[in-house]
Amino acid sequence: MNLHGIRAIYLYEMARAWRTLAQSIASPILSTSLYFVVFGAAIGSRMGAIDGISYGAFIIPGLLMLSLLSESISNASFGIYFPKFTGTIYEILSAPISALEIVLGFVGAAASKSVILGALILATARLFVDYEIAHPFWMVAFLLLTAVTFSLFGFIIGLWADDFQKLQIIPLMVIMPLTFLGGAFYSIDMLPEPWQTISLFNPVVYLISGFRWSFYGVADVNVLTSFGMVCFFLFVCLLMVAWIFRTGYRLKN
Amino acid sequence: MRQPNTDTPPSKQAVISIRGIGKTYASGHQALKSIDLDIRPGEIFALLGPNGAGKTTLINIVCGTVTPSNGTVCVNGFDIQQDYRQARAQIGLVPQELLTGAFESVEATVRFSRGLFGKPPSPATLEKILRQLSLWDKREARVMTLSGGMKRRLLIAKALSHEPRVLFLDEPTAGVDVELRRDMWAMVRQLREQGVTIILTTHYIEEAEEMADRIGVINQGEIIVVEEKQALMNQLGKKQLVLTLVSSLTVVPSELASYPLELSADGYTLIYTFDAQKEHNQIPELLRHLAVLGIDFRDLHSRESSLEDIFVNLIATGGSL
Ligand SMILES: Nc1ncnc2c1ncn2[C@@H]1O[C@H](COP(=O)(O)OP(=O)(O)OP(=O)(O)O)[C@@H](O)[C@H]1O
Ligand SMILES: [Mg+2]
């Protein structure tokens, strides 16, 4: 195991986040704060409580997931795409490092950044609303698993993309809508049929529901189903990465 | 010319042993046919060939950034595919293109390279390498603020950061000014003294002539010659005797027809070409003959054909000597 190699990639990627602090940390926190102001304070004050939770508190888990998903994907995809784009990837390809170790370095760094970001968003939310975390262990478990899974997913996108448009298209066209319709701002049972049933095909619903359960003990779907789904996505992403690397990983010719 | 046989097993003595390496790119282009080559420990090996000959492809295969279609490569006995960790840990690669990052510092990027190759951090080694390449003062500068020549040196620093046993330099002096080129040559020699084996490609024949112990010529995906530089020069080298005449001639006098002589257009220079290998070169006879004919010269000198001449000749004849 080339531990020094993993460490080098990890630290390099973390250093990149420091260099782009405004983009990687400040901007997600700012946008989450804006959501709190608009939905939590302004609109939320006119909304009734959902499942006995004030609207401002209700949207916290969903908002956190929103940032977590998009930041994990964009961090990890950019991390691997950029050296591909500039050609500096040659160094990684010529190094005595395995595909697994490369993934650990890049995805580990992206997931770490996401988790740090998640913690900062939680702290920021505290400035706007009071909330409690009913099941801290599960909250951390969902946070970690989601960060890792979507960082892996971002890594796959970064490997697959061969231009900037492809890099953006999945986060914008697929992930964004799924997250918005994933119950970040409402409870699924507030939807009329058939939307309620259709929503159950949206994987993000399971993430947000499970995450919200870890905060308030209420959920749209059974928490074990949620947890199972997260693990399932993780597994699918792992399979995809393994497959990509086995086929020359779109990096070598 | 000695042509290694594809069936010969990888050489035990060689640092790098290439057997039957072929590469056909996805485009269908066959860049390498079937390359056999042994690189000896501690030598400077120059790979020459025209654009598109396959030099970079061959280097990239050994370094692991291009997957070969056929064949095997061993680095100190380690197969580049099965034992890629041991094989790659011994190699440093300086790519042909200036592929550097942008925003990170010089120091950080060299440190990254060392870690990537599995070596623990070593500030002392880092300093030594940066000083050796005159980059120490630039260690905190962002990579994108470096000049082209500095970037080239940075790539060398990165390649040396993990103290490789074998260094590949793919056109290290392309776009580098004369002074820097001299520095680079000095550095390569210094590395050789430290026991590093060096494989370089270049389009400057004088560079190969100046630096290399052995020379390989590759053309259209095939190695057409591998030879000691000196032997290559001796074997292929023709010598010329150049005579500057006092008064011009219009034709080579018929009495001298038995000598391979050429007359320059202005009629003032006679060029006699002879084989440097031959014991007897007939120069004394020629000079006596000229004296008899009353052809006076005010200057004479001899010159060897350069690698450039040899190289052009080789490509033209497809390697047959
Ligand atoms: N990625 C690629 N896909 C398809 N063909 C390629 C690729 N890379 C190189 N080739 C082709 O393979 C041949 C050998 O290229 P290579 O870069 O090895 O040549 P070279 O000897 O290094 O040339 P130069 O002196 O110009 O650097 C060329 O015809 C080139 O067009
Ligand atoms: Mg080349």
Side-chain angles (χ1 to χ4, degrees):
Chain A
M1 195 88 174
N2 181 354
L3 291 176
H4 288 296
I6 301 173
R7 181 170 168 271
I9 295 178
Y10 183 89
L11 292 180
Y12 190 88
E13 281 299 296
M14 293 307 271
R16 193 168 61 83
W18 276 115
R19 285 198 305 269
T20 55
L21 204 61
Q23 186 203 328
S24 51
I25 299 284
S27 105
I29 289 185
L30 177 68
S31 62
T32 323
S33 303
L34 292 176
Y35 277 121
F36 277 121
V37 173
V38 175
F39 290 101
I43 298 177
S45 60
R46 305 280 177 93
M47 302 269 290
I50 302 177
D51 297 332
I53 307 150
S54 81
Y55 190 69
F58 179 86
I59 61 174
I60 291 172
L63 278 181
L64 209 160
M65 275 290 162
L66 206 70
S67 293
L68 202 64
L69 259 54
S70 67
E71 288 306 307
S72 296
I73 291 174
S74 78
N75 255 319
S77 63
F78 198 76
I80 185 71
Y81 178 78
F82 196 64
K84 245 176 46 161
F85 176 71
T86 59
T88 52
I89 190 86
Y90 86 87
E91 202 177 12
I92 292 172
L93 296 180
S94 67
I97 190 165
S98 68
L100 175 70
E101 289 156 357
I102 297 174
V103 173
L104 283 176
F106 277 105
V107 172
S112 302
K113 283 184 258 183
S114 296
V115 169
I116 293 170
L117 180 71
L120 289 173
I121 289 177
L122 274 184
T124 313
R126 198 63 173 189
L127 304 175
F128 297 92
V129 266
D130 254 352
Y131 61 85
E132 274 155 42
I133 300 173
H135 310 282
F137 169 80
W138 284 101
M139 195 282 280
V140 173
F142 271 111
L143 191 72
L144 285 178
L145 276 174
T146 311
V148 170
T149 304
F150 284 84
S151 295
L152 256 178
F153 187 63
F155 187 81
I156 293 167
I157 293 175
L159 277 180
W160 163 79
D162 46 19
D163 57 38
F164 274 98
Q165 195 190 319
K166 280 189 185 159
L167 197 63
Q168 304 285 1
I169 198 147
I170 295 196
L172 278 177
M173 307 297 284
V174 181
I175 303 297
M176 265 300 257
L178 287 182
T179 336
F180 265 92
L181 301 176
F185 301 106
Y186 53 84
S187 170
I188 298 300
D189 56 20
M190 292 163 75
L191 289 174
E193 282 294 359
W195 299 111
Q196 230 179 83
T197 311
I198 290 174
S199 289
L200 294 179
F201 290 96
N202 178 356
V204 180
V205 165
Y206 297 86
L207 286 181
I208 294 182
S209 164
F211 199 48
R212 187 178 290 132
W213 173 86
S214 72
F215 278 73
Y216 309 121
V218 292
D220 292 331
V221 290
N222 186 303
V223 66
L224 288 178
T225 316
S226 290
F227 191 71
M229 284 298 257
V230 182
C231 292
F232 175 72
F233 298 145
L234 180 60
F235 183 70
V236 170
C237 288
L238 284 173
L239 276 185
M240 274 161 79
V241 169
W243 178 78
I244 290 174
F245 274 105
R246 193 152 306 149
T247 55
Y249 37 122
R250 290 179 67 103
L251 293 176
K252 295 194 191 192
N253 36 42
Chain B
M1 191 99 320
R2 283 175 284 124
Q3 279 292 333
N5 179 338
T6 316
D7 303 327
T8 32
S11 165
K12 291 246 163 37
Q13 288 88 43
V15 183
I16 292 181
S17 194
I18 298 171
R19 288 291 175 272
I21 282 292
K23 176 65 185 178
T24 304
Y25 280 106
S27 61
H29 179 80
Q30 190 182 21
L32 294 176
K33 286 170 188 155
S34 176
I35 303 286
D36 294 311
L37 183 63
D38 283 328
I39 305 293
R40 300 173 190 158
E43 74 175 340
I44 299 181
F45 187 91
L47 197 55
L48 304 180
N51 287 131
K55 304 180 293 294
T56 300
T57 304
L58 184 62
I59 288 182
N60 287 348
I61 287 174
V62 178
C63 295
T65 62
V66 169
T67 318
S69 312
N70 322 89
T72 56
V73 179
C74 287
V75 182
N76 275 327
F78 294 110
D79 184 280
I80 56 158
Q81 280 170 323
Q82 267 126 50
D83 320 309
Y84 71 96
R85 283 184 200 270
Q86 292 94 326
R88 290 182 190 176
Q90 306 188 41
I91 296 180
L93 166 65
V94 180
Q96 181 170 358
E97 272 138 65
L98 286 177
L99 305 171
T100 55
F103 304 105
E104 62 272 35
S105 72
V106 164
E107 210 174 18
T109 183
V110 179
R111 211 183 296 128
F112 169 75
S113 302
R114 183 177 169 88
L116 198 59
F117 277 73
K119 289 277 182 109
S122 165
T125 313
L126 183 79
E127 179 171 347
K128 195 188 91 195
I129 291 169
L130 289 181
R131 284 194 189 279
Q132 192 178 9
L133 288 152
S134 319
L135 285 170
W136 180 245
D137 295 336
K138 288 277 177 189
R139 64 189 181 278
E140 277 158 26
R142 283 181 164 202
V143 170
M144 63 183 178
T145 65
L146 299 182
S147 74
M150 290 175 190
K151 281 184 184 155
R152 178 73 63 190
R153 280 180 281 154
L154 175 62
L155 287 177
I156 299 177
K158 281 163 77 71
L160 291 175
S161 66
H162 64 281
E163 302 157 276
R165 306 298 308 143
V166 185
L167 182 66
F168 283 91
L169 296 162
D170 199 351
E171 297 195 29
T173 52
V176 163
D177 68 31
V178 180
E179 194 189 345
L180 203 60
R181 196 182 299 174
R182 299 260 160 217
D183 289 352
M184 198 109 48
W185 292 356
M187 195 207 66
V188 169
R189 286 206 192 88
Q190 199 184 333
L191 284 171
R192 203 243 317 247
E193 273 156 37
Q194 293 163 17
V196 179
T197 306
I198 291 148
I199 295 103
L200 55 89
T201 73
T202 178
H203 284 285
Y204 302 107
I205 313 265
E206 67 271 31
E207 192 159 278
E209 206 167 334
E210 172 90 22
M211 308 266 302
D213 300 311
R214 282 202 307 153
I215 288 172
V217 179
I218 183 169
N219 189 36
Q220 295 183 353
E222 283 178 298
I223 297 244
I224 53 179
V225 171
V226 178
E227 198 53 273
E228 301 284 339
K229 179 185 68 187
Q230 209 49 56
L232 189 64
M233 308 253 327
N234 290 346
Q235 208 169 346
L236 300 164
K238 297 267 193 273
K239 274 197 159 181
Q240 291 181 326
L241 182 71
V242 182
L243 297 157
T244 313
L245 305 179
V246 174
S247 47
S248 69
L249 292 175
T250 44
V251 287
V252 177
S254 57
E255 291 89 340
L256 300 174
S258 61
Y259 301 97
L261 285 172
E262 263 175 83
L263 186 65
S264 64
D266 64 2
Y268 276 103
T269 313
L270 256 187
I271 299 167
Y272 170 60
T273 307
F274 59 96
D275 193 333
Q277 297 298 88
K278 284 227 180 99
E279 284 283 302
H280 191 63
N281 56 29
Q282 289 191 310
I283 288 177
E285 287 89 337
L286 174 67
L287 294 185
R288 242 174 280 137
H289 235 119
L290 289 172
V292 169
L293 292 169
I295 300 172
D296 288 336
F297 48 87
R298 71 168 66 118
D299 181 38
L300 90 172
H301 66 271
S302 70
R303 64 180 186 207
E304 285 177 50
S305 51
S306 68
L307 256 178
E308 178 125 44
D309 304 330
I310 299 174
F311 180 60
V312 168
N313 193 25
L314 271 175
I315 302 273
T317 61
S320 61
L321 301 173

